[in-house]
Amino acid sequence: MSADAEKVVGELRAQLPEPHGPVLPGDRHRLLREHLMNEIHQVQVQDKVQDKARGEKAPTAVRPRRNRAWYAVPVGMAAAGALAFTFLAGPGGNGGDTGYHLSAAPVVKVEVGSANGVGALMENVAERASEGPASRVGVNQFVYVRSHYSNMQAKDGSPLKLKTYYREAWTSQNPDKVQSRLNQPGDDIIWSAPRDGDEGLAEWNRNHTYAALEKLPTQPDALLKQLRKDAAYSGSSDQDLFNYVGGLINENILPPETGAAIYRAAAKIPGVVALDKAQDGDGRPGVALARTDEKDHERKELVFDANSYDYLGMRAYLVQNTELGKKGTVTEMQAVLDRGVVDSRDETPKK
């Protein structure tokens, strides 16, 4: 490891609390380690350029794909220690990979999208959203979402693979004491925030509870302007805005009027298209609102049932050959299987 990479490791380790009691199994630290590896990879890329200039052979770097489906928390804040992590025992928290399925990434047909169909599609979706339950989510409650999720696992020079698993998320609605939980194979953690001095993350939490979403503008142009402002922490591009909207939808419960307005605003994002044929992460067919990232040539689809217009999940894939794979290679998928409101992060919705 280069001196620069070792410096990154040291800085990130210094931000973690001192361990108390027995050392946790390595897989319990996977979420933190994946972020660490992303930081190291950025340094290694620079090293490889320098090594090439010197005629030296650089080691192959692992390139883990960040899990983008749970909480659109600013990565910089997480790296800076804005979140405290508590690792729990229980389902999925046994320190092993039981529950994961690793397979070759599927290759799908890249359908032709139409900008002309966006308005009609999103109006139908907005109408459906406006019919949702009007009961508010209380400040001491949690939004629960269970989903089937796949994310990219890649090594330079190796075929792209997808790691597929089931995940459960409990999103806290308390803007002052967040205790959100994520449970997936190998990791069962509580994200605690904000702590003293974490004002940026505290503001993010306050702006994304059910109560805060109720206060957003419901006029599409005004709302789009506000959403672009809220999404600015991750970037100012139209793709950043589209990804932010996806983050609001996939593991959340939207107030009916706000939800309808968000879908109408999404129709106004430059570059979005409507697709008559799409699939979620479980292969359920539907229609989609999609946008292609001009930088990495990856299309992201928000998939809805073609009849009810309920949100099914998302899918992302390459629209042309790139260093990651050939055209149509799937890089990420999600299927929402259950969604509801519960009173604690140990509960699931009653059927």
Side-chain angles (χ1 to χ4, degrees):
M1 185 182 295
S2 72
D4 287 339
E6 289 177 349
K7 181 179 179 182
V8 171
V9 173
E11 290 174 348
L12 291 176
R13 281 176 177 166
Q15 293 160 7
L16 299 176
E18 291 295 324
H20 298 281
V23 177
L24 290 170
D27 283 343
R28 293 294 191 93
H29 296 284
R30 182 179 294 106
L31 293 185
L32 296 178
R33 188 172 63 248
E34 286 189 359
H35 169 72
L36 176 64
M37 290 304 297
N38 272 288
E39 297 296 327
I40 293 172
H41 171 65
Q42 298 303 317
V43 177
Q44 287 178 323
V45 169
Q46 297 175 3
D47 290 344
K48 289 168 74 176
V49 173
Q50 295 172 358
D51 290 340
K52 186 176 181 181
R54 293 192 300 264
E56 300 174 2
K57 184 177 180 181
T60 300
V62 176
R63 299 190 302 166
R65 182 69 164 234
R66 285 196 182 101
N67 183 334
R68 295 177 294 180
W70 191 64
Y71 302 124
V73 175
V75 173
M77 292 181 181
L83 294 176
F85 299 88
T86 301
F87 291 82
L88 307 176
N94 58 8
D97 272 353
T98 303
Y100 286 107
H101 175 64
L102 194 64
S103 62
V107 178
V108 300
K109 180 181 178 181
V110 178
E111 301 286 345
V112 178
S114 171
N116 294 331
V118 168
L121 170 61
M122 299 317 289
E123 186 58 35
N124 286 332
V125 174
E127 287 293 331
R128 174 62 179 133
S130 68
E131 298 169 358
S135 57
R136 300 181 73 258
V137 185
V139 67
N140 293 317
Q141 292 183 304
F142 297 80
V143 171
Y144 170 88
V145 175
R146 180 174 182 265
S147 58
H148 198 196
Y149 184 72
S150 300
N151 64 319
M152 183 182 75
Q153 305 291 308
K155 283 187 177 181
D156 290 343
S158 300
L160 182 66
K161 292 185 179 295
L162 288 183
K163 181 177 280 189
T164 301
Y165 49 93
Y166 291 92
R167 54 186 275 139
E168 298 174 287
W170 288 260
T171 305
S172 171
Q173 298 298 297
N174 189 327
D176 299 315
K177 186 179 180 181
V178 176
Q179 292 283 311
S180 298
R181 177 185 177 189
L182 171 65
N183 182 16
Q184 61 188 28
D187 294 298
D188 190 356
I189 65 175
I190 290 175
W191 299 53
S192 302
R195 300 184 302 184
D196 291 342
D198 295 334
E199 291 306 317
L201 187 57
E203 181 180 0
W204 189 92
N205 290 324
R206 286 193 293 268
N207 290 342
H208 292 79
T209 63
Y210 187 94
L213 293 173
E214 280 187 312
K215 299 176 182 178
L216 287 174
T218 54
Q219 199 282 329
D221 288 327
L223 178 57
L224 188 64
K225 183 177 180 180
Q226 181 63 49
L227 294 178
R228 191 178 290 278
K229 178 181 177 181
D230 292 344
Y233 71 81
S234 61
S236 58
S237 73
D238 293 326
Q239 189 66 35
D240 293 323
L241 175 59
F242 183 80
N243 292 339
Y244 179 78
V245 170
L248 286 178
I249 296 168
N250 61 18
E251 287 184 342
N252 211 342
I253 289 181
L254 303 176
E257 190 174 2
T258 304
I262 286 175
Y263 290 123
R264 292 185 175 112
K268 295 177 173 288
I269 298 175
V272 296
V273 297
L275 299 172
D276 293 333
K277 294 181 180 180
Q279 290 185 355
D280 71 358
D282 259 10
R284 295 178 297 188
V287 293
L289 180 72
R291 193 182 191 285
T292 298
D293 190 325
E294 298 88 348
K295 293 182 179 179
D296 59 17
H297 309 292
E298 181 186 55
R299 174 189 278 177
K300 186 168 185 178
E301 301 174 343
L302 305 178
V303 184
F304 304 89
D305 185 276
N307 296 313
S308 69
Y309 295 105
D310 288 327
Y311 178 74
L312 296 178
M314 61 77 64
R315 182 174 67 171
Y317 52 86
L318 303 175
V319 296
Q320 69 180 54
N321 296 337
T322 76
E323 62 178 10
L324 291 180
K326 65 180 182 179
K327 179 179 178 179
T329 300
V330 174
T331 57
E332 189 177 14
M333 295 189 292
Q334 178 207 27
V336 174
L337 305 178
D338 194 12
R339 190 190 301 262
V341 181
V342 295
D343 294 327
S344 82
R345 57 177 180 261
D346 298 314
E347 295 181 21
T348 58
K350 295 179 175 62
K351 301 300 182 182

